[in-house]
Amino acid sequence: MPDIELDRPFPTLLTAQIRHGFTAAQQYLAAAVYLDANRLPQLAKHCYGKSEEQRGHALRMVQYLLDRDLDVQIGGLDEIRSTFESPRAAIAFLLETEQHRSTQITGLARAARESGDYLGERFVQWFLKEQVEDVARMTTLLTVIDRAADNLFDVEEFIARELRVPQRIDNATPRMAGTAKN
């Protein structure tokens, strides 16, 4: 079954993407727990943060549908992987899921445009930008792991030094469901 079926209305496709967003949040959480259990606190902390970010993305989609007075259904999750053969394998898997999610969101933007849902297309623009950043960050992290050649202490130091910068405030980011209106 394809990720994006262009013959379905954009709100229906967005609802499916909400499920993917909550699944991504749980997948990052499962990876964080795996990394925490392997005593890699910086990698784990990074994944815990990404879990919250993915949950926030899904809640932004929920709020968009609520704001448009469209039906919102929250269903189950896709399968979550919680064991990995190594920390590198966990990060490689997360990179693959980010790349897959980029394909899903690109298809979602295409569906909005092709159906003439310009509000939907505009809404999805923020997520496309986020996906470029997410894939780039995970690609960098995997590259650092590979260069460290099994010295995960160096990876932990890299994360503490380079990935702990304060997050910028993006005023164009849509509001999450459950937060106060501005």
Side-chain angles (χ1 to χ4, degrees):
M1 181 166 144
D3 290 321
I4 296 294
E5 299 171 25
L6 296 177
D7 60 338
R8 294 170 55 202
F10 175 76
T12 302
L13 296 173
L14 189 60
T15 297
Q17 194 61 45
I18 291 168
R19 184 185 82 245
H20 297 314
F22 284 130
T23 298
Q26 285 299 107
Q27 185 58 68
Y28 269 105
L29 180 60
V33 170
Y34 167 81
L35 295 164
D36 233 352
N38 280 281
R39 306 301 185 250
L40 297 165
Q42 296 299 325
L43 274 168
K45 188 175 186 179
H46 178 73
C47 289
Y48 283 125
K50 292 295 296 171
S51 175
E52 287 300 312
E53 180 182 310
Q54 295 300 323
R55 180 180 174 276
H57 290 173
L59 288 174
R60 284 177 173 82
M61 293 175 193
V62 167
Q63 188 62 52
Y64 172 82
L65 292 172
L66 290 171
D67 287 346
R68 297 234 7 231
D69 201 27
L70 298 168
D71 186 44
V72 181
Q73 299 285 322
I74 304 298
L77 301 175
D78 298 324
E79 186 175 337
I80 305 297
R81 182 173 168 190
S82 59
T83 59
F84 304 92
E85 45 285 352
S86 67
R88 187 215 182 272
I91 299 305
F93 179 75
L94 292 173
L95 172 58
E96 285 177 29
T97 62
E98 287 293 352
Q99 292 167 331
H100 182 69
R101 199 164 24 270
S102 290
T103 300
Q104 291 171 329
I105 296 301
T106 300
L108 188 61
R110 183 177 57 250
R113 176 174 287 172
E114 290 179 4
S115 69
D117 188 341
Y118 301 111
L119 294 174
E121 181 183 359
R122 175 74 174 129
F123 171 74
V124 173
Q125 294 304 310
W126 71 271
F127 200 32
L128 289 169
K129 182 173 130 311
E130 286 287 318
Q131 280 307 117
V132 169
E133 293 170 4
D134 289 348
V135 169
R137 180 167 281 149
M138 292 307 288
T139 299
T140 297
L141 189 50
L142 187 60
T143 300
V144 168
I145 289 171
D146 287 342
R147 286 182 184 157
D150 294 329
N151 185 347
L152 294 174
F153 179 77
D154 287 346
V155 175
E156 290 281 288
E157 286 293 312
F158 170 81
I159 294 169
R161 184 182 67 245
E162 300 295 330
L163 297 184
R164 291 288 153 222
V165 296
Q167 293 296 319
R168 71 193 185 301
I169 305 280
D170 184 353
N171 292 330
T173 301
R175 183 171 64 90
M176 285 191 292
T179 60
K181 293 182 182 186
N182 295 348

